[in-house]
Structures are given as structure tokens and as C-alpha cells.
PDB file of all heavy atoms in Angstrom:
ATOM      1  N   PHE A   3      54.781  50.324   5.534  1.00 97.00           N
ATOM      2  CA  PHE A   3      55.272  51.540   5.582  1.00 97.00           C
ATOM      3  C   PHE A   3      55.117  52.240   6.906  1.00 97.00           C
ATOM      4  O   PHE A   3      56.115  52.820   7.544  1.00 97.00           O
ATOM      5  CB  PHE A   3      54.788  52.512   4.547  1.00 97.00           C
ATOM      6  CG  PHE A   3      54.922  53.914   4.723  1.00 97.00           C
ATOM      7  CD1 PHE A   3      56.113  54.589   4.516  1.00 97.00           C
ATOM      8  CD2 PHE A   3      53.929  54.788   5.284  1.00 97.00           C
ATOM      9  CE1 PHE A   3      56.334  55.876   4.655  1.00 97.00           C
ATOM     10  CE2 PHE A   3      54.054  56.083   5.571  1.00 97.00           C
ATOM     11  CZ  PHE A   3      55.273  56.718   5.286  1.00 97.00           C
ATOM     12  N   SER A   4      53.954  52.220   7.495  1.00 97.00           N
ATOM     13  CA  SER A   4      53.641  52.769   8.749  1.00 97.00           C
ATOM     14  C   SER A   4      54.468  52.088   9.827  1.00 97.00           C
ATOM     15  O   SER A   4      54.972  52.695  10.855  1.00 97.00           O
ATOM     16  CB  SER A   4      52.183  52.691   9.181  1.00 97.00           C
ATOM     17  OG  SER A   4      51.350  53.360   8.151  1.00 97.00           O
ATOM     18  N   ALA A   5      54.659  50.743   9.704  1.00 97.00           N
ATOM     19  CA  ALA A   5      55.463  50.009  10.623  1.00 97.00           C
ATOM     20  C   ALA A   5      56.924  50.466  10.713  1.00 97.00           C
ATOM     21  O   ALA A   5      57.522  50.668  11.664  1.00 97.00           O
ATOM     22  CB  ALA A   5      55.340  48.520  10.364  1.00 97.00           C
ATOM     23  N   ALA A   6      57.339  50.629   9.460  1.00 97.00           N
ATOM     24  CA  ALA A   6      58.805  50.930   9.218  1.00 97.00           C
ATOM     25  C   ALA A   6      59.025  52.351   9.844  1.00 97.00           C
ATOM     26  O   ALA A   6      60.022  52.636  10.502  1.00 97.00           O
ATOM     27  CB  ALA A   6      59.258  50.928   7.768  1.00 97.00           C
ATOM     28  N   ALA A   7      58.137  53.265   9.541  1.00 97.00           N
ATOM     29  CA  ALA A   7      58.200  54.646  10.111  1.00 97.00           C
ATOM     30  C   ALA A   7      58.228  54.762  11.617  1.00 97.00           C
ATOM     31  O   ALA A   7      58.915  55.480  12.259  1.00 97.00           O
ATOM     32  CB  ALA A   7      57.079  55.485   9.472  1.00 97.00           C
ATOM     33  N   GLU A   8      57.400  53.771  12.173  1.00 96.00           N
ATOM     34  CA  GLU A   8      57.405  53.781  13.596  1.00 96.00           C
ATOM     35  C   GLU A   8      58.679  53.406  14.212  1.00 96.00           C
ATOM     36  O   GLU A   8      58.997  53.805  15.344  1.00 96.00           O
ATOM     37  CB  GLU A   8      56.278  52.632  14.000  1.00 96.00           C
ATOM     38  CG  GLU A   8      55.998  52.503  15.441  1.00 96.00           C
ATOM     39  CD  GLU A   8      54.970  51.419  15.719  1.00 96.00           C
ATOM     40  OE1 GLU A   8      53.965  51.358  14.863  1.00 96.00           O
ATOM     41  OE2 GLU A   8      55.030  50.763  16.723  1.00 96.00           O
ATOM     42  N   THR A   9      59.471  52.524  13.601  1.00 96.00           N
ATOM     43  CA  THR A   9      60.745  52.075  14.228  1.00 96.00           C
ATOM     44  C   THR A   9      61.748  53.117  13.967  1.00 96.00           C
ATOM     45  O   THR A   9      62.747  53.087  14.700  1.00 96.00           O
ATOM     46  CB  THR A   9      61.279  50.764  13.366  1.00 96.00           C
ATOM     47  OG1 THR A   9      61.480  50.993  12.106  1.00 96.00           O
ATOM     48  CG2 THR A   9      60.065  49.775  13.556  1.00 96.00           C
ATOM     49  N   GLY A  10      61.669  54.008  12.899  1.00 96.00           N
ATOM     50  CA  GLY A  10      62.703  55.029  12.636  1.00 96.00           C
ATOM     51  C   GLY A  10      63.858  54.514  11.894  1.00 96.00           C
ATOM     52  O   GLY A  10      64.918  55.244  11.663  1.00 96.00           O
ATOM     53  N   ARG A  11      63.898  53.206  11.459  1.00 97.00           N
ATOM     54  CA  ARG A  11      65.036  52.664  10.774  1.00 97.00           C
ATOM     55  C   ARG A  11      64.818  52.974   9.287  1.00 97.00           C
ATOM     56  O   ARG A  11      63.747  53.153   8.703  1.00 97.00           O
ATOM     57  CB  ARG A  11      65.050  51.111  11.026  1.00 97.00           C
ATOM     58  CG  ARG A  11      65.323  50.802  12.522  1.00 97.00           C
ATOM     59  CD  ARG A  11      65.449  49.275  12.745  1.00 97.00           C
ATOM     60  NE  ARG A  11      66.762  48.829  12.248  1.00 97.00           N
ATOM     61  CZ  ARG A  11      67.216  47.623  12.538  1.00 97.00           C
ATOM     62  NH1 ARG A  11      66.473  46.740  13.116  1.00 97.00           N
ATOM     63  NH2 ARG A  11      68.440  47.277  12.089  1.00 97.00           N
ATOM     64  N   THR A  12      65.956  52.849   8.540  1.00 97.00           N
ATOM     65  CA  THR A  12      65.984  53.024   7.059  1.00 97.00           C
ATOM     66  C   THR A  12      65.617  51.730   6.478  1.00 97.00           C
ATOM     67  O   THR A  12      66.354  50.665   6.724  1.00 97.00           O
ATOM     68  CB  THR A  12      67.304  53.445   6.610  1.00 97.00           C
ATOM     69  OG1 THR A  12      67.700  54.696   7.201  1.00 97.00           O
ATOM     70  CG2 THR A  12      67.304  53.588   4.987  1.00 97.00           C
ATOM     71  N   VAL A  13      64.575  51.614   5.630  1.00 98.00           N
ATOM     72  CA  VAL A  13      64.032  50.396   5.120  1.00 98.00           C
ATOM     73  C   VAL A  13      63.918  50.589   3.596  1.00 98.00           C
ATOM     74  O   VAL A  13      63.351  51.613   3.119  1.00 98.00           O
ATOM     75  CB  VAL A  13      62.702  50.038   5.673  1.00 98.00           C
ATOM     76  CG1 VAL A  13      62.128  48.732   5.137  1.00 98.00           C
ATOM     77  CG2 VAL A  13      62.814  49.873   7.279  1.00 98.00           C
ATOM     78  N   ARG A  14      64.457  49.606   2.853  1.00 98.00           N
ATOM     79  CA  ARG A  14      64.232  49.511   1.469  1.00 98.00           C
ATOM     80  C   ARG A  14      63.352  48.373   1.088  1.00 98.00           C
ATOM     81  O   ARG A  14      63.501  47.192   1.627  1.00 98.00           O
ATOM     82  CB  ARG A  14      65.531  49.424   0.623  1.00 98.00           C
ATOM     83  CG  ARG A  14      66.530  50.587   0.950  1.00 98.00           C
ATOM     84  CD  ARG A  14      67.759  50.406   0.050  1.00 98.00           C
ATOM     85  NE  ARG A  14      68.690  51.468   0.171  1.00 98.00           N
ATOM     86  CZ  ARG A  14      69.824  51.361   0.897  1.00 98.00           C
ATOM     87  NH1 ARG A  14      70.015  50.175   1.577  1.00 98.00           N
ATOM     88  NH2 ARG A  14      70.658  52.274   1.037  1.00 98.00           N
ATOM     89  N   ILE A  15      62.512  48.553  -0.038  1.00 98.00           N
ATOM     90  CA  ILE A  15      61.818  47.407  -0.619  1.00 98.00           C
ATOM     91  C   ILE A  15      62.664  46.760  -1.708  1.00 98.00           C
ATOM     92  O   ILE A  15      62.970  47.472  -2.743  1.00 98.00           O
ATOM     93  CB  ILE A  15      60.458  47.773  -1.196  1.00 98.00           C
ATOM     94  CG1 ILE A  15      59.596  48.345  -0.067  1.00 98.00           C
ATOM     95  CG2 ILE A  15      59.748  46.779  -1.891  1.00 98.00           C
ATOM     96  CD1 ILE A  15      58.178  48.988  -0.522  1.00 98.00           C
ATOM     97  N   LEU A  16      63.019  45.525  -1.545  1.00 98.00           N
ATOM     98  CA  LEU A  16      63.890  44.893  -2.535  1.00 98.00           C
ATOM     99  C   LEU A  16      63.153  44.072  -3.542  1.00 98.00           C
ATOM    100  O   LEU A  16      63.592  43.876  -4.742  1.00 98.00           O
ATOM    101  CB  LEU A  16      64.983  43.950  -1.884  1.00 98.00           C
ATOM    102  CG  LEU A  16      65.896  44.559  -0.842  1.00 98.00           C
ATOM    103  CD1 LEU A  16      66.878  43.467  -0.463  1.00 98.00           C
ATOM    104  CD2 LEU A  16      66.621  45.774  -1.472  1.00 98.00           C
ATOM    105  N   ASP A  17      61.952  43.581  -3.126  1.00 97.00           N
ATOM    106  CA  ASP A  17      61.110  42.740  -3.956  1.00 97.00           C
ATOM    107  C   ASP A  17      59.620  42.720  -3.584  1.00 97.00           C
ATOM    108  O   ASP A  17      59.399  43.049  -2.363  1.00 97.00           O
ATOM    109  CB  ASP A  17      61.648  41.332  -4.044  1.00 97.00           C
ATOM    110  CG  ASP A  17      61.331  40.600  -5.382  1.00 97.00           C
ATOM    111  OD1 ASP A  17      60.547  41.121  -6.113  1.00 97.00           O
ATOM    112  OD2 ASP A  17      61.934  39.559  -5.584  1.00 97.00           O
ATOM    113  N   ARG A  18      58.897  42.468  -4.372  1.00 97.00           N
ATOM    114  CA  ARG A  18      57.303  42.216  -4.133  1.00 97.00           C
ATOM    115  C   ARG A  18      56.929  40.776  -4.562  1.00 97.00           C
ATOM    116  O   ARG A  18      57.340  40.319  -5.602  1.00 97.00           O
ATOM    117  CB  ARG A  18      56.524  43.387  -4.872  1.00 97.00           C
ATOM    118  CG  ARG A  18      56.892  44.809  -4.368  1.00 97.00           C
ATOM    119  CD  ARG A  18      56.077  45.705  -5.210  1.00 97.00           C
ATOM    120  NE  ARG A  18      56.528  47.079  -4.968  1.00 97.00           N
ATOM    121  CZ  ARG A  18      55.957  47.881  -3.895  1.00 97.00           C
ATOM    122  NH1 ARG A  18      54.929  47.476  -3.263  1.00 97.00           N
ATOM    123  NH2 ARG A  18      56.364  49.065  -3.739  1.00 97.00           N
ATOM    124  N   PHE A  19      56.092  40.254  -3.697  1.00 97.00           N
ATOM    125  CA  PHE A  19      55.667  38.948  -4.003  1.00 97.00           C
ATOM    126  C   PHE A  19      54.181  38.769  -4.245  1.00 97.00           C
ATOM    127  O   PHE A  19      53.401  39.466  -3.706  1.00 97.00           O
ATOM    128  CB  PHE A  19      56.129  37.966  -2.856  1.00 97.00           C
ATOM    129  CG  PHE A  19      57.486  38.161  -2.390  1.00 97.00           C
ATOM    130  CD1 PHE A  19      57.893  38.534  -1.240  1.00 97.00           C
ATOM    131  CD2 PHE A  19      58.431  37.710  -3.298  1.00 97.00           C
ATOM    132  CE1 PHE A  19      59.222  38.639  -0.868  1.00 97.00           C
ATOM    133  CE2 PHE A  19      59.891  37.758  -2.983  1.00 97.00           C
ATOM    134  CZ  PHE A  19      60.236  38.301  -1.779  1.00 97.00           C
ATOM    135  N   ASN A  20      53.830  37.644  -4.980  1.00 95.00           N
ATOM    136  CA  ASN A  20      52.466  37.347  -5.240  1.00 95.00           C
ATOM    137  C   ASN A  20      52.217  35.768  -5.169  1.00 95.00           C
ATOM    138  O   ASN A  20      53.265  35.089  -4.778  1.00 95.00           O
ATOM    139  CB  ASN A  20      52.116  37.789  -6.688  1.00 95.00           C
ATOM    140  CG  ASN A  20      52.329  39.183  -6.962  1.00 95.00           C
ATOM    141  OD1 ASN A  20      51.588  40.033  -6.555  1.00 95.00           O
ATOM    142  ND2 ASN A  20      53.277  39.501  -7.736  1.00 95.00           N
ATOM    143  N   GLN A  21      51.084  35.393  -5.414  1.00 97.00           N
ATOM    144  CA  GLN A  21      50.774  33.900  -5.364  1.00 97.00           C
ATOM    145  C   GLN A  21      51.376  33.425  -6.727  1.00 97.00           C
ATOM    146  O   GLN A  21      51.411  34.147  -7.770  1.00 97.00           O
ATOM    147  CB  GLN A  21      49.305  33.636  -5.275  1.00 97.00           C
ATOM    148  CG  GLN A  21      48.525  34.297  -6.440  1.00 97.00           C
ATOM    149  CD  GLN A  21      47.054  34.685  -5.983  1.00 97.00           C
ATOM    150  OE1 GLN A  21      46.977  35.591  -5.104  1.00 97.00           O
ATOM    151  NE2 GLN A  21      45.999  34.075  -6.577  1.00 97.00           N
ATOM    152  N   PRO A  22      51.725  32.131  -6.774  1.00 97.00           N
ATOM    153  CA  PRO A  22      52.250  31.554  -8.027  1.00 97.00           C
ATOM    154  C   PRO A  22      51.211  31.400  -9.065  1.00 97.00           C
ATOM    155  O   PRO A  22      50.019  31.410  -8.811  1.00 97.00           O
ATOM    156  CB  PRO A  22      52.886  30.242  -7.530  1.00 97.00           C
ATOM    157  CG  PRO A  22      52.000  29.823  -6.321  1.00 97.00           C
ATOM    158  CD  PRO A  22      51.707  31.166  -5.690  1.00 97.00           C
ATOM    159  N   ALA A  23      51.644  31.051 -10.242  1.00 97.00           N
ATOM    160  CA  ALA A  23      50.773  30.949 -11.507  1.00 97.00           C
ATOM    161  C   ALA A  23      49.667  29.872 -11.377  1.00 97.00           C
ATOM    162  O   ALA A  23      48.742  29.956 -12.006  1.00 97.00           O
ATOM    163  CB  ALA A  23      51.673  30.741 -12.783  1.00 97.00           C
ATOM    164  N   ASP A  24      50.048  28.766 -10.625  1.00 98.00           N
ATOM    165  CA  ASP A  24      48.920  27.699 -10.530  1.00 98.00           C
ATOM    166  C   ASP A  24      47.806  28.075  -9.617  1.00 98.00           C
ATOM    167  O   ASP A  24      46.802  27.422  -9.680  1.00 98.00           O
ATOM    168  CB  ASP A  24      49.621  26.382  -9.969  1.00 98.00           C
ATOM    169  CG  ASP A  24      50.335  26.525  -8.697  1.00 98.00           C
ATOM    170  OD1 ASP A  24      50.923  27.653  -8.493  1.00 98.00           O
ATOM    171  OD2 ASP A  24      50.545  25.613  -7.904  1.00 98.00           O
ATOM    172  N   HIS A  25      48.035  29.283  -8.889  1.00 98.00           N
ATOM    173  CA  HIS A  25      46.906  29.891  -8.110  1.00 98.00           C
ATOM    174  C   HIS A  25      46.395  31.037  -9.080  1.00 98.00           C
ATOM    175  O   HIS A  25      46.495  32.217  -8.752  1.00 98.00           O
ATOM    176  CB  HIS A  25      47.371  30.356  -6.820  1.00 98.00           C
ATOM    177  CG  HIS A  25      47.680  29.283  -5.858  1.00 98.00           C
ATOM    178  ND1 HIS A  25      48.738  28.421  -6.036  1.00 98.00           N
ATOM    179  CD2 HIS A  25      47.111  29.002  -4.637  1.00 98.00           C
ATOM    180  CE1 HIS A  25      48.813  27.502  -5.061  1.00 98.00           C
ATOM    181  NE2 HIS A  25      47.887  27.854  -4.257  1.00 98.00           N
ATOM    182  N   ALA A  26      45.950  30.599 -10.227  1.00 96.00           N
ATOM    183  CA  ALA A  26      45.586  31.577 -11.305  1.00 96.00           C
ATOM    184  C   ALA A  26      44.523  32.688 -10.882  1.00 96.00           C
ATOM    185  O   ALA A  26      43.574  32.321 -10.161  1.00 96.00           O
ATOM    186  CB  ALA A  26      45.018  30.745 -12.418  1.00 96.00           C
ATOM    187  N   VAL A  27      44.628  33.691 -11.497  1.00 97.00           N
ATOM    188  CA  VAL A  27      43.708  34.842 -11.274  1.00 97.00           C
ATOM    189  C   VAL A  27      43.226  35.237 -12.715  1.00 97.00           C
ATOM    190  O   VAL A  27      43.852  35.526 -13.535  1.00 97.00           O
ATOM    191  CB  VAL A  27      44.428  36.105 -10.714  1.00 97.00           C
ATOM    192  CG1 VAL A  27      43.439  37.277 -10.552  1.00 97.00           C
ATOM    193  CG2 VAL A  27      45.132  35.823  -9.411  1.00 97.00           C
ATOM    194  N   SER A  28      41.797  35.107 -12.725  1.00 97.00           N
ATOM    195  CA  SER A  28      41.121  35.545 -13.958  1.00 97.00           C
ATOM    196  C   SER A  28      41.196  36.998 -14.138  1.00 97.00           C
ATOM    197  O   SER A  28      41.019  37.788 -13.225  1.00 97.00           O
ATOM    198  CB  SER A  28      39.663  35.156 -13.911  1.00 97.00           C
ATOM    199  OG  SER A  28      38.910  35.723 -14.936  1.00 97.00           O
ATOM    200  N   ILE A  29      41.546  37.515 -15.363  1.00 97.00           N
ATOM    201  CA  ILE A  29      41.618  38.882 -15.644  1.00 97.00           C
ATOM    202  C   ILE A  29      40.277  39.621 -15.452  1.00 97.00           C
ATOM    203  O   ILE A  29      40.285  40.791 -15.160  1.00 97.00           O
ATOM    204  CB  ILE A  29      42.124  39.081 -17.064  1.00 97.00           C
ATOM    205  CG1 ILE A  29      42.668  40.578 -17.207  1.00 97.00           C
ATOM    206  CG2 ILE A  29      41.026  38.764 -18.073  1.00 97.00           C
ATOM    207  CD1 ILE A  29      43.445  40.755 -18.487  1.00 97.00           C
ATOM    208  N   TYR A  30      39.263  38.884 -15.376  1.00 97.00           N
ATOM    209  CA  TYR A  30      37.893  39.359 -15.178  1.00 97.00           C
ATOM    210  C   TYR A  30      37.440  39.356 -13.785  1.00 97.00           C
ATOM    211  O   TYR A  30      36.373  39.836 -13.424  1.00 97.00           O
ATOM    212  CB  TYR A  30      36.828  38.604 -16.040  1.00 97.00           C
ATOM    213  CG  TYR A  30      37.180  38.549 -17.558  1.00 97.00           C
ATOM    214  CD1 TYR A  30      37.584  37.220 -18.053  1.00 97.00           C
ATOM    215  CD2 TYR A  30      37.242  39.617 -18.308  1.00 97.00           C
ATOM    216  CE1 TYR A  30      37.900  37.189 -19.435  1.00 97.00           C
ATOM    217  CE2 TYR A  30      37.507  39.527 -19.636  1.00 97.00           C
ATOM    218  CZ  TYR A  30      37.933  38.337 -20.174  1.00 97.00           C
ATOM    219  OH  TYR A  30      38.357  38.254 -21.486  1.00 97.00           O
ATOM    220  N   HIS A  31      38.388  38.783 -12.913  1.00 96.00           N
ATOM    221  CA  HIS A  31      38.073  38.629 -11.426  1.00 96.00           C
ATOM    222  C   HIS A  31      39.281  38.902 -10.668  1.00 96.00           C
ATOM    223  O   HIS A  31      39.884  38.075 -10.122  1.00 96.00           O
ATOM    224  CB  HIS A  31      37.549  37.192 -11.222  1.00 96.00           C
ATOM    225  CG  HIS A  31      37.229  36.895  -9.817  1.00 96.00           C
ATOM    226  ND1 HIS A  31      37.887  36.216  -8.853  1.00 96.00           N
ATOM    227  CD2 HIS A  31      35.994  37.277  -9.138  1.00 96.00           C
ATOM    228  CE1 HIS A  31      37.355  36.167  -7.795  1.00 96.00           C
ATOM    229  NE2 HIS A  31      36.107  36.800  -7.853  1.00 96.00           N
TER     230      HIS A  31
END
């Protein structure tokens, strides 16, 4: 966000990414 504001350009977030399911995350960790 700070980077986008610095440029002064109009920027939209179209998608958010994570690691795939085989890189499993324990709900307790």
C-alpha cells in the first residue's frame, strides 16, 4: 500500500495468494 501511494497511481487488489495445500499449516501453529 505504501509503495502504491508513493507512485500516485490508482491500484486495485484483484487477488490474494498463499502457499498451496501441500505446504500445510496446522491450525494450532
Side-chain angles (χ1 to χ4, degrees):
F3 160 78
S4 300
E8 182 181 324
T9 68
R11 301 184 73 176
T12 300
V13 179
R14 298 187 182 97
I15 297 175
L16 301 186
D17 207 349
R18 298 177 186 268
F19 305 117
N20 304 288
Q21 62 213 60
D24 54 332
H25 291 62
V27 179
S28 168
I29 198 168
Y30 308 111
H31 183 255

